[in-house]
Amino acid sequence: LFPYTTLFRSAPYWNQNLKSLKAGGKLILIAAQGGFKVEEFNMLPFFTKHLQVMGTTLRSRDNDYKGKLISDFSKAALPAFAEKKLKPIIYKIF
């Protein structure tokens, strides 16, 4: 079980993602390509596992914000990739 999970397709995988979180986990939603509505919503996991949900999207942000985000990422993460401290998880190769 994961302390955090990040996803791009929110609604279709809502229940699966909640199940993947351990106690105290945070579900971070980045956009909602799969839709915004969850047909059946069970709040019990939020209470029993003390979960948190955060959502964001870059679409509504201005270019200055997006530029700063890219700059911050470049400074913080790119060296870690170069040093092999961070590694991408490749789901599938086409």
Side-chain angles (χ1 to χ4, degrees), residues 27-55:
L27 181 62
I28 302 169
L29 302 167
I30 302 174
Q33 293 177 348
F36 294 97
K37 294 183 180 182
V38 176
E39 293 301 320
E40 292 186 33
F41 181 81
N42 181 357
M43 292 192 320
L44 186 61
F46 287 93
F47 297 111
T48 59
K49 293 170 75 173
H50 313 285
L51 302 179
Q52 296 178 39
V53 175
M54 181 178 132

Side-chain angles (χ1 to χ4, degrees), residues 77-86:
L78 293 182
F81 280 110
E83 297 167 10
K84 307 260 191 243
K85 291 179 181 178
L86 278 177

Side-chain angles (χ1 to χ4, degrees), residues 56-69:
T56 188
T57 183
L58 290 176
R59 188 166 292 197
S60 60
R61 299 289 192 150
D62 63 36
N63 287 336
D64 290 338
Y65 178 87
K66 292 175 188 177
K68 183 174 177 349
L69 193 65

